[in-house]
């Protein structure tokens, strides 16, 4: 986006004004920024138009409406490791990092740069001190989001690692030349500072990127940005390590021949023999960055473990995995970090996998870091949402999704390489793809109208993996674009008038309402129409596959921007970034979570044009993506739970939700276990509570309790059923019966759950489940309990509720903090107990519980089934669930944040349901061990 000279005074004045409002770190939304710009606009005079104002607003959003959350980390137990970075930080000359920070300062919002600085410090600190004497090895994993800036993150890490003393840095950049070349280009710009020519020389080439800031900071490389610039056999034979010299960078494919070259080079330089007889490169710290670490690097061969859990020492892994581990073994000091957005395969690596010759497998035993995307990230959850809200229109907000229903004949989901795409028997495109192309032309024109004339603009067409079929699609798309050009040139004719009307109608009925709903500043048709021809005139149709000569060389069009419709398959499926992507037409029907997510090139950052993005796909694919989003977010939530409990990678197992049609990944070891579970007869117990939402959740609770018309029972005591064991008593608590399920569902929607629930089930899944069960006549009559206590001698705070049913002197329950304390989170180990779940049972139901517990406890096979909570939930009829609202305080003397209200923790006890749909999970080996031990 270009800022006109007339707009600079307005930008500066508003920036100063907003800085005062955001001094405490408060985010300012687009609406507030827009209102402030419009308020100050008169000072700039009459020379500004709507486009200038939009550019000013977008520039201010980068500073005041974009932030990045904190990364979380699981840290392993390594007796030999000691935290080293804090003690060395002031002594390191951060030359590589400082110039890289200057380089990205104009590309990312300030708060994002600050977070990148912080998280790369953390990851570097989790590596070993490169100055540490002796042999060491570190394995870690960094989990980001698809197209969320992982390359920028590990470029920053490489800069800091080089400054700290790592001498050899190897980046494993995917399996295709195009991705390796793209990664080399980015590291040329962000780390090396120059682009070497492909001439076999070691001379430094043309200054680029950081080299234009400070060319005196030097590192060497033996690979280049050319498609043929990988690490070849001649380079492996002739290149030598110079310990203590310049840092040496390799950017290589995960290809067996290339990795053998790298291993050969390492073996030639391995001069030191260890006590075990292994020859290694000594005193030259190695850092391996494995980009897309779930692709090709995973050992999917089945390694046998004996009855004691010891691995087969002679196991033979898959070739790529074997070669990576072999390279690591050739260095006395080595660190390996995998980067991926789809860690499904990585978390399933066996935590004890190892061989005598190759050492440990690539399980991230020392650390796992979960990167947080910034708020301007256009990610899967934003595109597809969750099942609860996933409708074509997202309720009343127009969606960016456009469902395809006319392309099955043209390109069936399953077809051969001999397919000739035809629509209704003719050599042409289906109307949906024609519409998608017009949509791309319009979105690009609208971006020009907003001042983005010189930015890259891309469209993705991904319908088949077969290159021969792609060639036909390329020809058909190219012909259609030429037809649009010809019709536009002849607008005085009937055909020309038709194409103009097609664009105008699409703008009015598709773009205007959608853009307004998503916060876009929508230019009028009169402003958009003049920019359509400049886009039509220059747009290219490129075929991107292994057999095509076209390439997406964005840097060669940095001055005016590349405008391209990219047609391809596998080469566009992972890692490769389509700059300025706004419209995608996607029919590729992979049935694996990770592959489908990586094919989603439409994720990423869309500054100033997120509202103009469109995704054309089938409704079935959309539903698949929604499921994968839920599985992914559930996995991230489980990770966050572990972080808050100070877990380690080897302490906890993972489970990943499965799908009846889709596979999690094609890179799993054979023999992995599965479990099937359901919310039927289970509790829902959030144990992370939001301290920043105490008052809001209190108000929601009061409104909910005030809406219940049923007469409550106060100071509830257990009915004496005559059983040997009493259920307990709850003096001071208040109980309502027969509360409609719809009222409970409304409360759960208003309650602000923490974004990292300790429960293994997201709150959105719980709401979906309740909605489904109510629709089938279950969960219609709830018992609601407000649980506290009455004890005049107790020190816990008394709370005035303002509700007649709540007795005077009602007191909170004390639950101490558990795990890592955070300013905005109150983490407890448990909120309730199974005995509390019995509060609404009738004498007959309680008698059933006691009898079944007595009978089942005599059977060893049923040992896990007689737990009290499960029996209580099974005794309750399917129409009745229990919602307990615990009134908690984290201190025996005061309530959180100085407010005079308790923290409300909802606990749900679901009854057994025959009709409830189960959820199946694939388990890691460690999770299965925990299941067997009953430690969960």
């Amino acid at each position: 986006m270009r800022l006109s000279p007339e707009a600079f005074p307005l930008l500066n004045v508003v920036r100063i004004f907003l800085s005062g409002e955001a001094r405490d770190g408060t985010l300012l939304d687009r609406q507030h920024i827009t209102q402030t710009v419009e308020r100050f606009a008169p000072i700039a005079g009459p020379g500004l138009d709507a486009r200038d104002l939009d550019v000013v607003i977008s520039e201010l959003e980068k500073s005041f409406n974009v932030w990045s959350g904190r990364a979380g980390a699981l840290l392993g137990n390594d007796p030999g490791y000691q935290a080293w970075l804090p003690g060395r930080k002031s002594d390191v000359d951060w030359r590589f990092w400082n110039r890289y920070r200057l380089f990205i300062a104009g590309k990312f919002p300030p708060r994002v740069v600050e977070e990148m600085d912080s998280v790369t410090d953390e990851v570097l600190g989790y590596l070993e001190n490169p100055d540490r004497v002796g042999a060491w090895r570190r394995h870690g994993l960094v989990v980001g989001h698809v197209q969320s800036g992982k390359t920028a993150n590990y470029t920053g890490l490489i800069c800091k690692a080089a400054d700290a003393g790592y001498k050899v840095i190897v980046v494993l950049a995917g399996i295709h030349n195009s991705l390796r070349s793209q990664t080399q280009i980015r590291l040329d710009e962000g780390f090396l500072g120059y682009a070497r020519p492909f001439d076999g020389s070691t001379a430094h080439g043309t200054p680029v990127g950081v080299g234009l800031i400070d060319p005196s900071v030097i590192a060497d490389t033996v690979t280049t940005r050319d498609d043929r610039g990988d690490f070849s056999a001649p380079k492996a034979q002739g290149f030598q390590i110079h310990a203590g010299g310049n840092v040496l960078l390799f950017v290589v494919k995960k290809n067996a021949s290339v990795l053998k070259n790298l291993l050969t080079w390492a073996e030639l330089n391995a001069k030191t023999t260890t006590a075990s007889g292994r020859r290694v490169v000594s005193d030259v710290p190695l850092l391996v960055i494995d980009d897309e670490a779930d692709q090709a690097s995973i050992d999917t061969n089945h390694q046998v473990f004996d009855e004691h859990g010891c691995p087969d020492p002679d196991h033979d892994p898959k070739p790529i995995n074997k070669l990576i581990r072999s390279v690591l073994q050739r260095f006395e000091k080595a660190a390996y970090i995998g980067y991926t957005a789809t860690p499904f395969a990585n978390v399933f690596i066996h935590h004890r996998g190892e061989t005598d010759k190759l050492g440990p497998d690539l399980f991230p035993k020392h650390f796992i870091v979960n990167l947080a995307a910034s708020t301007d990230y256009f990610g899967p959850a934003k595109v597809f949402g969750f099942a609860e809200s996933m409708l074509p229109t997202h309720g009343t907000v127009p969606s960016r999704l456009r469902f395809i229903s006319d392309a099955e004949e043209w390109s069936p989901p399953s077809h051969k390489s001999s397919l000739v795409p035809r629509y209704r028997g003719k050599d042409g495109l289906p109307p949906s793809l024609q519409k998608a192309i017009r949509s791309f032309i319009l979105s690009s024109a609208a971006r020009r109208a907003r001042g983005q004339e010189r930015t890259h603009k891309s469209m993705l067409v991904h319908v088949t993996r077969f290159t021969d079929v792609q060639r036909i699609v390329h020809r058909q798309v190219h012909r259609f674009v030429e037809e649009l050009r010809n019709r536009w040139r002849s607008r005085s004719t009937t055909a020309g008038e038709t194409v103009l009307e097609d664009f105008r109608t699409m703008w009015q009925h598709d773009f205007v309402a959608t853009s307004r709903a998503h916060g876009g500043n929508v230019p009028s048709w009169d402003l958009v129409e003049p920019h359509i021809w400049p886009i039509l005139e220059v747009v290219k149709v490129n075929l991107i596959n292994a057999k095509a000569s076209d390439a997406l060389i964005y840097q060669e069009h940095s001055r005016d921007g590349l405008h391209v419709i990219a047609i391809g398959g596998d080469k566009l499926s992972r890692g490769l970034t389509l700059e300025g992507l706004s419209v995608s037409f996607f029919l590729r029907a992979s049935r694996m979570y990770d592959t489908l997510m990586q094919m989603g090139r439409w994720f990423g950052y869309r500054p100033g044009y997120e509202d103009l993005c469109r995704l054309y796909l089938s409704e079935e694919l959309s539903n698949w993506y929604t499921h994968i989003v839920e599985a992914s977010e559930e996995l991230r939530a489980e990770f966050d739970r572990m972080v808050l409990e100070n877990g380690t990678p080897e302490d906890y197992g993972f489970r990943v939700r499965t799908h009846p049609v889709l596979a999690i990944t094609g890179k799993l070891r054979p023999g992995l276990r599965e479990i099937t579970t359901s919310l039927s007869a289970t509790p829902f117990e959030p144990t992370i509570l939001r301290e920043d939402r105490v008052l809001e959740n209190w108000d929601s609770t009061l409104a909910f309790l005030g809406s219940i018309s049923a007469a409550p029972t106060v100071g509830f005591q257990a009915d004496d059923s005559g059983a040997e064991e009493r259920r307990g008593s709850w003096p001071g608590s208040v109980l309502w019966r027969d509360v409609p399920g719809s009222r409970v569902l409304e409360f759960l929607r208003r309650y602000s759950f923490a974004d990292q629930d300790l429960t293994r089930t997201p709150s959105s899944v719980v709401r979906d489940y309740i909605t489904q069960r109510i629709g089938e006549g279950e969960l219609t009559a709830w018992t609601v309990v407000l649980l506290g206590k009455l004890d005049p001698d107790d020190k816990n705070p008394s709370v005035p509720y303002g509700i007649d049913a709540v007795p005077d002197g009602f007191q909170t329950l004390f639950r101490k903090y558990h795990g890592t304390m955070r300013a905005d989170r109150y983490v407890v180990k448990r909120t309730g107990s199974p005995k509390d779940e019995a509060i609404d049972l009738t004498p007959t139901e309680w008698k059933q519980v006691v009898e079944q517990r007595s009978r089942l406890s005599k059977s060893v096979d049923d040992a896990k089934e007689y737990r009290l909570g499960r029996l209580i939930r099974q005794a309750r009829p399917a129409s009745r669930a229990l919602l307990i609202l615990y009134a908690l305080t984290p201190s025996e003397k005061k309530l959180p944040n100085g407010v005079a209200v308790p923290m409300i923790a909802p606990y749900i006890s679901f009854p057994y349901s025959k009709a409830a749909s189960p959820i199946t999970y694939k388990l890691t080996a460690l999770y299965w061990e925990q299941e067997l031990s009953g430690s969960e």
Side-chain angles (χ1 to χ4, degrees), residues 286-298:
L286 166 72
L287 172 60
V288 174
I289 303 285
D290 189 353
D291 195 8
E292 308 296 343
D294 62 312
Q295 184 185 40
S297 304
I298 306 298

Side-chain angles (χ1 to χ4, degrees), residues 318-337:
K318 287 288 187 180
I320 301 299
N321 176 274
K322 182 177 183 178
L323 286 164
I324 294 172
R325 291 161 67 181
S326 296
V327 170
L328 291 168
Q329 285 287 85
R330 282 299 170 195
F331 283 78
E332 179 189 34
K333 306 175 179 182
Y336 168 90
I337 306 180

